[in-house]
Amino acid sequence: MRRRSVIGGLVGGALLSRGRLIGAAMAEGEDTVSTEKARYAGVGEEWKGATALAGGKGYAQCRLGALHYRHLRAAPPASGPKPTILLLHQTPFGLAEWVDIQPMLTEMGHDTIAPDNPGYGMSDPPPDSVTIADLADNLVDLLDHLDVKQVAVAGHHTGASIAASFAARHAERTAYVVLHGCPVYDEAGRASRLAQAAPEIHLRQDGSHLADIFSAIHSRAPFPQGLSTANWGTLGAWWAGFDTPTYRAVFANDMAADLDRIRAPVRILTDRGDSLHEQDKQVAAQRSDFSLEVFSDGGSFSLMLDPRKWAERVSAFAAIS
């Protein structure tokens, strides 16, 4: 039996070559990274830690337990209110995936809400039987807790599955949708992914178990700009474990059925080096009303490595939706 990758849903595909990844990083805005390096917490070699996530934290008691979130409020823009953006992370980062993106979107005039998916970060774990539909419905409790009537929902990988289900099930709460990396699998693909065994964790006195996790994650972006990114991923993976009910729910879910039911405007962002790139293209081909944009030539780290570009793309889509 094949063993599931140590970083689970983070990439889930073939490792890109070191040379291609470095080239992709340069193509994705190296100048932006260098000029704004001092303000970035998810990019580069300088570790800023949890201080970069200060402000806006809270818990909502939801149907799946206590849900930890970060809610940042924007100053009212002169041009009028902009949609609140609900940010749903990929496995295994937790809300830290948005460490740079969330405040940028807030600076652009959007209130933003970033929860830790159940079982990740500081949120309670869900039951083993949890489904993607359950995780989507759980977000209604969060929005009610915050008295937010409607959101633009943006999800990455695992977060994209949940975002699609939310939009399909709660059209009245959905302004528009951004899906970055769509984990769409047919029945055989879902069964194959569910059959893969999760890695086992064996604690070692020298702490090398943590080094192994970091090395596996950093191998996906093996250059200095990816060091902080990989560190956030390592912390998320270690905190949650590698075989969570939320992660398994992605591979038990028929995302295609959710996509068919979405009626809100949808933008799909994709990365050419991401394992889900082909699925993104297939979704866009099947739904001609969904727009598709290639975000980068890299993999699933790309939005963290170029947070301003991502925030600008999402905010711009809000303006035309």
Side-chain angles (χ1 to χ4, degrees), residues 47-132:
W47 177 243
K48 294 180 171 58
T51 58
L53 293 168
K57 307 286 197 11
Y59 277 96
Q61 291 300 321
C62 301
R63 66 195 73 185
L64 295 178
L67 192 70
H68 182 240
Y69 64 86
R70 189 181 187 208
H71 185 196
L72 299 184
R73 293 174 172 83
S79 57
K82 296 184 177 182
T84 297
I85 300 178
L86 177 63
L87 299 163
L88 304 177
H89 65 81
Q90 70 169 321
T91 299
F93 278 92
L95 62 80
E97 180 172 26
W98 314 108
V99 61
D100 294 315
I101 288 171
Q102 190 176 8
M104 287 178 181
L105 285 170
T106 303
E107 289 171 4
M108 295 173 187
H110 299 274
D111 286 1
T112 57
I113 305 166
D116 283 324
N117 290 338
Y120 291 87
M122 300 297 291
S123 290
D124 283 350
D128 286 343
S129 61
V130 75
T131 66
I132 290 294

Side-chain angles (χ1 to χ4, degrees), residues 192-307:
S192 175
R193 294 304 298 262
L194 286 169
Q196 295 180 34
E200 297 178 359
I201 298 175
H202 299 286
L203 301 180
R204 306 188 193 109
Q205 292 190 36
D206 63 356
S208 58
H209 51 283
L210 292 173
D212 287 348
I213 297 169
F214 180 87
S215 295
I217 294 178
H218 189 235
S219 72
R220 309 297 179 174
F223 43 81
Q225 287 107 319
L227 284 169
S228 288
T229 312
N231 210 43
W232 285 115
T234 300
L235 293 172
W238 177 249
W239 195 248
F242 301 122
D243 193 26
T244 71
T246 294
Y247 182 48
R248 290 196 303 274
V250 174
F251 303 114
N253 180 57
D254 182 5
M255 187 179 180
D258 288 329
L259 293 168
D260 285 343
R261 295 167 55 199
I262 296 176
R263 296 295 175 262
V266 176
R267 170 68 53 86
I268 299 173
L269 297 176
T270 190
D271 304 295
R272 289 192 179 94
D274 190 356
S275 63
L276 297 177
H277 180 55
E278 291 303 317
Q279 284 99 315
D280 293 337
K281 292 193 296 182
Q282 291 167 12
V283 170
Q286 291 166 8
R287 285 290 304 258
S288 59
D289 55 325
F290 290 6
S291 60
L292 175 68
E293 178 183 350
V294 175
F295 181 75
S296 79
D297 291 325
S300 68
F301 275 9
S302 297
L303 65 82
M304 289 190 74
L305 290 172
D306 201 346

